[in-house]
């Protein structure tokens, strides 16, 4: 028996990676650990009711640490993303969240400086949705020249860029204990400036499908309109 899981290539700091040669710190291993942790908490009940963004002592400590540094935590991003109407916004109202979790990772620059990059992820049968925050100092302006199928946007009065990213498909042979990875489908992502003046840093909202079909841009933009204002500290235009 084999299982395939799609995940996007690390994208929240695509602009920063192009400028400063950023390196992801433990993204894959940490992500898989969080999935396993969440599944263990939800157990068989996850098949019957929507998953929630669980908070344990470790998550609470991470949130307290983030607040002390005037940052948002992965758990808070997960909570903002894991809306009751998320399946309907994705066009799959009959589905519900199978897993929902936040993580508080970072991106390491060549100089050794680590940039916090918390994220929240919600997975359904058809779609996976990820919301992340980057605390680099780089603006959104100019990013569209470095990304695939990039298009400048304005979202809720904030500068934004809509673009495509290749996912990576992980194949797990549950019987033989083997695994491999290869190109998957396309993820569509929206990078949004945290403030209307594009003063640096970004939020990124990304969606991709488990069947590798190209995601719906209208769904991505609809989710952004609902989710971004629910993020603690979001700056409304005007």
């Amino acid at each position: 028996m084999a299982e395939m899981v799609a995940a996007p290539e690390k994208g929240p700091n695509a602009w920063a990676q192009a400028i400063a040669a950023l390196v992801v710190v433990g993204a894959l291993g940490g992500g898989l650990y969080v999935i396993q942790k969440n599944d263990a908490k939800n157990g068989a009940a996850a098949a019957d009711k929507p998953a929630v963004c669980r908070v344990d002592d470790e998550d609470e400590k991470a949130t307290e640490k983030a607040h002390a540094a005037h940052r948002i935590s992965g758990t808070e991003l997960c909570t903002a993303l894991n809306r009751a109407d998320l399946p309907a916004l994705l066009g799959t109202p009959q589905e519900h969240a199978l897993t929902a979790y936040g993580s508080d990772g970072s991106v390491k620059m060549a100089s050794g400086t680590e940039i916090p990059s918390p994220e929240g992820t919600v997975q359904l049968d058809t779609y996976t949705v990820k919301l992340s925050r980057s605390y680099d100092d780089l603006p959104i302006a100019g990013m569209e020249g470095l990304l695939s199928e990039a298009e400048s946007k304005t979202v809720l009065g904030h500068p934004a860029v809509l673009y495509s990213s290749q996912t990576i498909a992980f194949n797990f042979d549950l019987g033989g204990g083997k695994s491999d990875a290869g190109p998957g489908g396309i993820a569509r992502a929206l990078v949004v400036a945290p403030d209307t003046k594009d003063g640096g840093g970004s939020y990124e909202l990304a969606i991709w499908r488990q069947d590798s079909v190209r995601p719906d841009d209208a769904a991505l933009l609809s989710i952004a309109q609902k989710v971004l204002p629910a993020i603690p500290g979001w700056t409304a235009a005007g």
Side-chain angles (χ1 to χ4, degrees):
M1 180 178 180
E3 180 179 359
M4 186 179 76
V5 179
E9 295 182 351
K10 188 66 176 180
N13 291 296
W15 179 225
Q17 287 174 16
I19 299 298
L22 301 182
V23 179
V24 176
V25 179
L28 176 57
L32 291 178
Y33 166 76
V34 174
I35 292 173
Q36 293 167 357
K37 172 182 168 185
N38 185 76
D39 288 345
K41 289 179 180 178
N42 287 325
D48 302 320
K49 59 183 180 181
V52 297
C53 302
R54 300 286 187 181
V55 181
D56 58 16
D57 292 341
E58 183 180 334
D59 297 323
E60 288 181 350
K61 290 178 181 178
T63 297
E64 291 174 1
K65 183 178 179 180
H67 287 176
H70 304 289
R71 297 194 302 265
I72 195 168
S73 71
T75 298
E76 290 173 312
L77 291 174
C78 176
T79 301
L81 182 61
N82 192 25
R83 302 169 53 92
D85 61 353
L86 181 61
L89 292 171
L90 287 166
T92 56
Q94 74 282 1
E95 298 181 1
H96 64 257
L98 301 176
T99 60
Y101 57 90
S103 60
D104 292 275
S106 62
V107 175
K108 191 171 184 178
M109 298 179 65
S111 64
T113 301
E114 291 192 8
I115 298 174
S117 184
E119 58 187 38
T121 303
V122 177
Q123 182 179 353
L124 295 81
D125 281 324
T126 301
Y127 280 97
T128 297
V129 189
K130 179 177 289 187
L131 175 64
S132 60
R133 172 72 159 95
S134 174
Y135 286 91
D136 57 45
D137 296 323
L138 297 171
I140 299 298
M143 185 185 293
E144 64 274 9
L146 299 171
L147 299 172
S148 175
E149 298 183 289
E151 179 183 353
S152 295
K153 294 280 186 180
T154 299
V155 176
L156 298 170
H158 292 226
V161 174
L162 177 67
Y163 76 99
S164 293
S165 178
Q166 180 76 51
T167 67
I168 302 172
F170 296 95
N171 294 282
F172 299 95
D173 185 347
L174 302 182
K178 298 180 180 180
S179 64
D180 58 52
I186 294 296
R188 291 292 281 168
L190 184 70
V191 186
V192 185
D195 57 69
T196 58
K197 295 182 180 181
D198 196 13
S202 62
Y203 289 101
E204 179 173 272
L205 182 65
I207 63 174
W208 64 96
R209 293 177 58 112
Q210 314 307 332
D211 57 9
S212 297
V213 173
R214 187 183 179 92
D216 182 10
D217 284 354
L220 175 59
L221 294 170
S222 294
I223 294 169
Q225 295 283 338
K226 297 287 188 178
V227 168
L228 293 177
I231 298 172
W234 171 259
T235 303

